[in-house]
Amino acid sequence: MVRRMRTFLASLVLIVGCAKAEAPEPRPVAHQKPQGTPAPMTLAQSGIVGDWLDRSADPCKDFYQYACGGFMKTAEIPADRSSWGAIPIVVKEAEEFEKKILEDAAAKPGNDPVSQKIGAYYAACMDETAIEKAGIAPIRPMLEQIKTVKDGASAAATIASLHSEGYFPFFGIGPVQDFADATKVIAALDQSGIGLPEKKYYLANTDTIPKTRKFYQAHQIKMFGLLGLDANAAQAAAGNAFRIETAIAKLQQDKVLRRDPHAIYHRVERAGLEKDAGGFPWGDYLAKQGIPTVTAITVNDPKYYVGIVKLLASEKPAALQDYLTWTVLRGAAPDLSKAWVDEEFTMERELNGVKELPPRWRRCVHHVDSELGELLAQSYVKVKFAGNAKVSATDLTKSVLDAMRVELDQLPWMDDATRGPAKQKLDKMAYLVGYPDKWRKYDFAIAKTDFGGNLRAATRFELARQLAKIGKPVDRFDWQMTPPTVNAYYDSSLNELVLPAGQLQPPFYGATFHPAVNFGDTGGGTVGHEMTHGFDDEGSQFDADGNLHDWWSKTTKDKFKVATKCIQDQYSKYEAVPKVHVDGKLTSGENIADNGGVKLAYEAYKTWRAKQTTPVQKEVEGLTDDQLFYLGYGQSWCMKVTPEALTTRAHSDPHSPPMWRVNGVIVNQPGFAAAFKCKAGAAMAPAKNCSVW
Ligand SMILES: [Zn+2]
């Protein structure tokens, strides 16, 4: 349940989670170099995987093929995943490591309260016999309440109750830093309540969307059937649920529009909400969420709530019951008994091409990471982020930030009026590396035999923790990802980048890798990427203090828009799968971040290299260090993805597909042609290219 809620809350806060979303044998880890006269580093030690290369390919023609052709030829996507490559490999290693921690904690919790908690939570999650026996018992209280809906008042009361349980029909609520004054935490209402990935899945008729929509409708009928409805009743209930979801989708903002912070920020206050969207008992609603006195409220779009109130009034109570029931069923199904899990999984197969349900242990590892993440992380970082890992990753981060500082001084398209605040923003940009200095507490009871009850307790605890932030000072050190997460993010309101330990692992990062590889991959793909988010088309609208405030001169902004348009047009030409194009507008922030990240990391590497008293090894098995830099970045995106997932992501994910995250970037890199001796005009060294940062 927390998983659902987090997904919802993440949409409220402008964080750009970036890497890498979900991530043969693990890539070899470099060994410590011997003392004395060092033997030359081998390719395997450098962090580049020789077998992943396709040396028969021309890097100037298709760099992705050169960096990853060997991998793509032999790699197979495991049946229980939607992709395989560098990222899933790191994810899998973290999962297996955590599994061992959790199995030990479950078997022998000892006196350590952390072990006791995570062990009991994992044991309850693994107890399939008890879960089977419980059936739909964990959601029965919600289903019973839904049956009481007979008019507007009882519908509103039920919606309020479901929100306090982490189910968000129609809309949701959470804390957000006020875009206009980032020192304040206020309440934010945001759109919610549809089961397909994006509004267009309800409305559009392009490529696979109608087929997916049909599949979803059949799935809704089957789920109502599992609840015990006969065929006709299940069809009628599913029809009501789908009709109401479609009406909600029509009112919603699409993902491209939502990239504009001005489009999703409207401080209407409680009085404005009560006036414009009257007919919904907002006072009772806020009281039920535990924040009865809150008055500072922003909404994504005032019209949306007017529309929702109208929709509520226009639907019959029985139809509303069906929609609310559906919202609970689809949210809870992955954690109920087997029949529900299996039926829910058919949607995962349809949308992401995953062929087999992941084993129970993997699902339970993810639950513990989601619901007790900072407890599980304590053992993880002790082993996986030990020694000087934090120091060396911090040094790398500083080097890339310094390169941006130099860049800001030199950028020809930026005038001095804009340069000043831009440098101020960079100077104030904070970064958190590895794991939090202080671990979060999880004060709720856990029973070793009641997974459903544990999940409910965890959800309510986290919701209350989130809403309690409203009206309090901002906590800069509250991590929005757990330390083992293979990802990173930039938060515009905090002007802060966060690099979890999970992302700073081989093959992305190794303390003994060739520095060029670390700079290319972690320096470019992670640190540079996240930092550039502060200056992409979305992040650049926030100032040094995290306020939504236009600090750009008109002339410089016009030039920035032209450069952004160039990137948008470039990526719009690419296909995710045949006939499904990348959405240049949806992905423009990520593409700007990819391009800027690699360019700045390359500058950072050259500066770092010039300062070394012991020269770095200039060549490794015939590859120069400059080539290693680009290969480090390229191989971090060696990844095979199912066509289903590529299609779904093209419609709903702000990141470009792996291949274009490499070649789309490489064609714009000023250092690449020289590194690989590409002729001017080669496919990877075009005469005309795009550059923002
Ligand atoms: Zn990103």
Side-chain angles (χ1 to χ4, degrees):
M1 294 195 199
V2 171
R3 181 164 50 87
R4 243 190 348 266
M5 183 183 56
R6 287 242 174 97
T7 310
F8 168 73
L9 289 172
S11 74
L12 292 172
V13 184
L14 263 192
I15 73 161
V16 218
C18 288
K20 305 193 166 188
E22 201 210 30
E25 285 308 295
R27 239 163 130 170
V29 179
H31 300 293
Q32 197 67 44
K33 274 185 279 179
Q35 298 295 313
T37 313
M41 181 181 266
T42 64
L43 193 60
Q45 288 169 336
S46 77
I48 296 300
V49 186
D51 291 347
W52 287 12
L53 298 170
D54 174 4
R55 292 196 191 247
S56 71
D58 178 357
C60 299
K61 209 170 145 198
D62 181 350
F63 184 64
Y64 192 69
Q65 179 63 28
Y66 181 75
C68 298
F71 170 84
M72 297 301 277
K73 197 172 166 189
T74 55
E76 279 178 36
I77 302 172
D80 62 347
R81 296 183 194 262
S82 60
S83 64
W84 191 242
I87 294 162
I89 286 170
V90 185
V91 169
K92 179 170 184 258
E93 283 177 5
E95 287 167 348
E96 285 170 354
F97 184 86
E98 291 168 331
K99 177 186 185 215
K100 177 84 176 54
I101 295 172
L102 291 168
E103 283 176 349
D104 289 351
K108 288 186 224 122
N111 294 324
D112 174 25
V114 170
S115 275
Q116 286 172 350
K117 269 199 170 155
I118 58 175
Y121 204 93
Y122 183 72
C125 180
M126 290 298 291
D127 188 348
E128 284 187 293
T129 315
I131 291 164
E132 253 349 270
K133 214 172 136 195
I136 60 158
I139 56 169
R140 201 163 284 130
M142 295 78 166
L143 297 178
E144 288 304 319
Q145 174 156 14
I146 290 169
K147 283 186 197 155
T148 68
V149 172
K150 56 178 193 312
D151 53 20
S154 50
T158 302
I159 291 166
S161 287
L162 293 177
H163 285 196
S164 69
E165 298 280 356
Y167 299 92
F168 292 101
F170 297 107
F171 62 94
I173 187 164
V176 73
Q177 274 174 274
D178 188 351
F179 284 9
D181 176 2
T183 64
K184 303 268 187 324
V185 182
I186 61 173
L189 296 183
D190 201 0
Q191 64 185 34
S192 177
I194 60 173
L196 283 165
E198 221 274 335
K199 69 177 285 183
K200 76 166 77 149
Y201 276 85
Y202 292 86
L203 308 169
N205 285 312
T206 41
D207 57 82
T208 56
I209 285 179
K211 173 182 151 299
T212 300
R213 183 163 59 225
K214 231 174 149 183
F215 188 94
Y216 180 71
Q217 288 176 282
H219 163 67
Q220 288 182 307
I221 294 171
K222 286 182 197 153
M223 293 273 273
F224 277 105
L226 283 180
L227 196 58
L229 274 63
D230 68 34
N232 286 339
Q235 186 151 13
N240 284 333
F242 187 80
R243 187 188 66 252
I244 293 178
E245 283 193 316
T246 306
I248 295 171
K250 280 184 188 156
L251 295 169
Q252 291 196 340
Q253 297 171 309
D254 69 30
K255 288 200 172 182
V256 173
L257 178 66
R258 289 175 62 80
R259 295 196 60 254
D260 175 5
H262 289 283
I264 56 166
Y265 171 76
H266 298 93
R267 274 274 317 239
V268 296
E269 313 303 335
R270 182 174 180 150
L273 191 61
E274 282 170 343
K275 183 170 158 277
D276 295 342
F280 189 85
W282 292 105
D284 295 346
Y285 171 80
L286 294 169
K288 179 76 189 171
Q289 309 313 313
I291 45 171
T293 58
V294 163
T295 56
I297 296 175
T298 175
V299 300
N300 61 309
D301 173 12
K303 291 196 302 292
Y304 181 73
Y305 300 89
V306 177
I308 290 295
V309 169
K310 265 194 203 152
L311 177 63
L312 278 168
S314 71
E315 287 289 346
K316 292 202 170 76
L320 288 174
Q321 288 188 19
D322 291 335
Y323 165 69
L324 295 172
T325 300
W326 167 247
T327 306
V328 172
L329 293 182
R330 76 175 167 85
D335 306 313
L336 296 174
S337 47
K338 188 170 183 302
W340 293 95
V341 174
D342 288 345
E343 181 51 38
E344 180 59 25
F345 178 71
T346 63
M347 272 317 291
E348 181 63 8
R349 194 178 300 150
E350 171 69 16
L351 287 168
N352 290 314
V354 183
K355 294 189 175 58
E356 271 175 24
L357 184 70
R360 180 108 205 146
W361 71 262
R362 261 186 71 205
R363 290 178 277 145
C364 289
V365 163
H366 284 273
H367 266 297
V368 183
D369 179 58
S370 165
E371 283 103 62
L372 297 169
E374 291 194 13
L375 300 186
L376 177 58
Q378 293 176 28
S379 305
Y380 174 88
V381 299
K382 255 183 224 157
V383 176
K384 294 279 197 177
F385 207 62
N388 73 340
K390 193 161 181 162
V391 174
S392 69
T394 304
D395 286 347
L396 181 62
T397 304
K398 281 187 192 149
S399 305
V400 179
L401 289 168
D402 287 344
M404 181 69 164
R405 208 162 277 123
V406 174
E407 163 93 352
L408 285 175
D409 268 327
Q410 294 171 349
L411 270 180
W413 54 267
M414 184 172 264
D415 60 19
D416 287 344
T418 313
R419 206 182 304 275
K423 285 168 81 173
Q424 200 189 7
K425 177 160 187 176
L426 185 68
D427 288 339
K428 281 202 173 179
M429 192 178 279
Y431 49 91
L432 306 177
V433 177
Y435 55 92
D437 291 336
K438 209 174 140 211
W439 297 110
R440 183 193 297 172
K441 288 198 167 51
Y442 297 84
D443 294 323
F444 55 90
I446 294 166
K448 209 170 173 174
T449 50
D450 183 9
F451 175 53
N454 292 345
L455 200 47
R456 195 175 176 196
T459 303
R460 292 160 81 123
F461 177 81
E462 176 62 10
L463 275 170
R465 188 183 82 87
Q466 290 294 343
L467 291 173
K469 292 177 181 176
I470 297 168
K472 304 257 170 58
V474 173
D475 179 2
R476 300 194 68 89
F477 303 101
D478 184 38
W479 286 52
Q480 292 157 45
M481 284 178 185
T482 64
T485 305
V486 187
N487 208 335
Y489 67 87
Y490 172 77
D491 184 321
S492 295
S493 294
L494 289 171
N495 189 20
E496 178 172 273
L497 52 106
V498 178
L499 314 167
Q503 178 72 19
L504 301 166
Q505 300 293 323
F508 297 133
Y509 185 79
T512 57
F513 284 1
H514 193 292
V517 175
N518 281 337
F519 269 94
D521 183 333
T522 301
T526 304
V527 179
H529 174 103
E530 299 306 339
M531 180 190 69
T532 307
H533 271 313
F535 299 91
D536 72 18
D537 55 332
E538 187 175 358
S540 64
Q541 300 186 51
F542 293 82
D543 67 14
D545 297 314
N547 295 321
L548 183 57
H549 158 241
D550 193 357
W551 48 274
W552 294 69
S553 75
K554 166 109 184 36
T555 350
T556 299
K557 191 153 73 177
D558 287 347
K559 288 179 184 164
F560 178 77
K561 279 185 182 160
V562 171
T564 298
K565 174 92 176 18
C566 182
I567 293 272
Q568 288 176 351
D569 292 345
Q570 177 198 335
Y571 281 80
S572 295
K573 293 195 184 94
Y574 299 149
E575 283 179 336
V577 290
K579 295 192 185 140
V580 180
H581 279 255
V582 173
D583 184 334
K585 283 191 176 147
L586 178 63
T587 57
S588 85
E590 294 300 334
N591 298 331
I592 290 171
D594 281 344
N595 277 274
V598 174
K599 192 167 130 195
L600 293 161
Y602 185 59
E603 294 303 318
Y605 175 61
K606 286 195 294 184
T607 306
W608 176 89
R609 183 174 62 189
K611 281 197 284 196
Q612 299 310 299
T613 44
T614 318
V616 300
Q617 189 175 324
K618 290 291 284 176
E619 207 174 282
V620 177
E621 297 185 20
L623 293 165
T624 67
D625 64 333
D626 285 340
Q627 292 174 337
L628 292 176
F629 172 89
Y630 291 109
L631 284 171
Y633 177 71
Q635 287 204 333
S636 74
W637 286 113
C638 291
M639 182 141 71
K640 220 172 224 182
V641 184
T642 64
E644 292 88 346
L646 283 170
T647 307
T648 301
R649 292 182 197 179
H651 290 308
S652 58
D653 183 350
H655 303 89
S656 293
M659 176 185 166
W660 299 119
R661 292 193 78 166
V662 177
N663 283 356
V665 167
I666 288 300
V667 294
N668 295 328
Q669 294 301 312
F672 180 79
F676 283 89
K677 301 195 170 60
C678 300
K679 288 200 188 98
M684 295 288 116
K688 251 190 86 191
N689 57 18
C690 303
S691 169
V692 182
W693 298 104

